[in-house]
Amino acid sequence: MSHTVLIIGAGPGGVAAARAVRQYLEAEDRVIVIDRQDEQRLGVTLLSIMRGWHEPEDVTIKPSRVLAGVAEFVPAEATRIDPVNRRVETTTGTLEYDALIVATGAELVPETVPGLVTALENGSAGHCWSLPAALHLRERLRCLAGGRVLIVVTRLPYKCPPAPYEAALLVRDLAVERGIGNSVEVTVVTPEQSPLAVAGPEIGRELVALLNQQGITVLTGEQLVAVDGRHREAQFASGRRELFDLLIAVPPHRAPTFVQEAGLAEVDWVPADLRSMRTRFEGIWAIGDVAAVRIRDTLLVPKAAVFAQQQAEVAARDLARWLGRTAPEPELQAYGRCWFLAGRGVAGAIEGDFLAEPRPKVTFQSPSTDGFALMQQELAAWLAQDPARRH
């Protein structure tokens, strides 16, 4: 009996899931990947696009080419999941499945912060968590004559956890390059008591020290409640008010609306079991940014591509065994390295084992030219998945 495995999302997690599932299924089984866009890029490249070091086409792959011979790629937008009848409705028709992997990524919802959408529209605010936004912010930074740049983490969790701090360093780097370093003040504000609290307080201290060395201020424990784009003021739950000339806001993230409407999500995210990636619905797995994968009561796996790819393998093995195919036992893991882009030709890394006891064992490798070279090698290897990009 043949089976159909449907994967919603062709990001790093979805592509990895398709490849892993394919190797454990029989030849007659179908693997179908749905995504509204036939292009993908790693999160760190949005920062390099923002900084002006890359154009989008330099760092983009096409999942349809990557998955050729592995899975059927359907260029469509999923609009509804029917967990009972095992169907997914899309903008091009309805697809039935025996097993479903939800790898949609996160949806950006700036409208949940009063005033933020208006500030984004009038140019007093920007962000780099989507390609159009990164391109817009690049132009805004090129025109910046000086003043105060305020970088605010609006809500937790969000994808690419180091990105706000990388953005701060890249803004500083650009200001120095343009000869306006003395005219630009950069401040980062986060609701966490320590930056990147998931990695532990020592990482937070090292990160603050690095930013302080570059003249960047870090404010912690402050929850953004509203933005006044007209008066260029950010307002926080504590009563604190911070003026800005340019606001770079990490937009609130959550699971896509159609995923929530299917009943998969709880408090914005889809709970998935660490050992299998199963959701509360039989026959549905969730991986990557859309999933809330709990390690401990207060600790979730960070939302980064490296973890999405690990979760893809776990889900693929469990799914194949659930379908009666031969596959190894899922291997529990949450070890990853996130590159930390800090300036022209330098990058560090935040790396560690989030399953270590009694707390995650994470290290911060200071930015260096060697680190940048390794990051470039990893990016080149990722791009080489696409046959058209191989040299």
Side-chain angles (χ1 to χ4, degrees):
M1 177 182 174
S2 64
H3 299 293
T4 297
V5 176
L6 197 57
I7 300 170
I8 307 178
V15 167
R19 285 175 158 166
V21 165
R22 179 73 275 166
Q23 68 177 326
Y24 299 131
L25 298 185
E26 300 295 336
E28 64 268 22
D29 295 326
R30 297 178 70 193
V31 179
I32 304 173
V33 178
I34 309 168
D35 201 299
R36 64 181 179 273
Q37 292 184 324
D38 188 17
E39 59 178 46
Q40 292 292 341
R41 59 196 62 83
L42 293 175
V44 70
T45 62
L46 292 176
L47 288 164
S48 64
I49 289 169
M50 177 204 78
R51 182 58 178 82
W53 291 331
H54 282 122
E55 294 301 323
E57 58 269 21
D58 298 334
V59 290
T60 299
I61 65 170
K62 285 188 172 292
S64 62
R65 292 196 296 243
V66 172
L67 295 172
V70 174
E72 303 167 45
F73 180 77
V74 177
E77 183 173 1
T79 57
R80 182 173 180 267
I81 298 173
D82 181 350
V84 176
N85 296 300
R86 297 189 180 177
R87 290 195 294 255
V88 172
E89 295 179 10
T90 79
T91 49
T92 60
T94 299
L95 294 169
E96 297 185 349
Y97 65 83
D98 296 294
L100 172 67
I101 297 178
V102 179
T104 58
E107 178 180 79
L108 305 180
V109 283
E111 63 272 17
T112 60
V113 176
L116 181 54
V117 170
T118 300
L120 289 168
E121 290 175 345
N122 69 22
S124 61
H127 74 83
C128 54
W129 272 261
S130 72
L131 177 60
L135 289 168
H136 181 268
L137 182 57
R138 178 169 73 179
E139 297 308 310
R140 183 70 178 83
L141 289 170
R142 284 174 174 172
C143 298
L144 187 68
R148 190 172 195 229
V149 179
L150 189 67
I151 300 173
V152 180
V153 177
T154 63
R155 300 286 187 274
L156 299 169
Y158 58 91
K159 56 186 177 181
C160 301
Y165 309 99
E166 295 174 272
L169 288 164
L170 294 181
V171 169
R172 166 59 63 198
D173 183 68
L174 178 61
V176 171
E177 182 182 272
R178 293 183 54 218
I180 58 172
N182 293 332
S183 302
V184 175
E185 176 189 350
V186 182
T187 299
V188 184
V189 188
T190 176
E192 296 185 285
Q193 294 303 314
S194 174
L196 299 182
V198 66
E202 181 57 35
I203 298 298
R205 285 190 288 269
E206 292 184 52
L207 193 54
V208 169
L210 174 64
L211 270 65
N212 288 169
Q213 287 170 9
Q214 299 300 318
I216 298 167
T217 301
V218 180
L219 303 175
T220 60
E222 294 288 351
Q223 180 65 65
L224 183 72
V225 294
V227 175
D228 183 342
R230 181 180 177 186
H231 297 98
R232 304 208 173 200
E233 182 182 74
Q235 301 164 5
F236 298 87
S238 66
R240 188 182 198 114
R241 294 171 179 265
E242 294 287 339
L243 296 174
F244 58 83
D245 293 284
L246 174 63
L247 172 67
I248 299 177
V250 181
H253 292 45
R254 70 183 182 198
T257 301
F258 77 93
V259 173
Q260 299 199 50
E261 290 174 346
L264 284 165
E266 293 179 7
V267 193
D268 292 340
W269 305 105
V270 180
D273 182 73
L274 176 67
R275 291 165 177 77
S276 65
M277 297 300 127
R278 295 189 187 196
T279 70
R280 69 186 188 88
F281 285 102
E282 184 78 2
I284 301 181
W285 290 254
I287 64 172
D289 294 343
V290 73
V293 184
R294 193 167 297 281
I295 297 174
R296 301 178 183 86
D297 289 344
T298 59
L299 181 62
L300 298 176
V301 175
K303 297 185 182 300
V306 62
F307 297 112
Q309 291 167 326
Q310 291 175 3
Q311 292 165 8
E313 178 66 26
V314 172
R317 292 184 181 189
D318 188 68
L319 181 155
R321 292 166 68 91
W322 183 79
L323 288 175
R325 302 311 192 199
T326 300
E329 286 273 2
E331 183 179 351
L332 187 63
Q333 57 179 327
Y335 185 95
R337 176 175 58 193
C338 290
W339 291 108
F340 190 89
L341 192 56
R344 285 162 289 180
V346 292
I350 298 171
E351 182 174 10
D353 183 2
F354 287 83
L355 293 179
E357 294 291 353
R359 61 185 62 86
K361 186 177 182 180
V362 184
T363 60
F364 180 57
Q365 299 171 18
S366 297
S368 67
T369 55
D370 287 345
F372 186 82
L374 288 171
M375 185 191 74
Q376 291 295 94
Q377 290 176 18
E378 191 170 296
L379 174 60
W382 186 80
L383 291 170
Q385 297 178 90
D386 189 330
R389 300 194 64 93
R390 294 173 190 160
H391 300 290

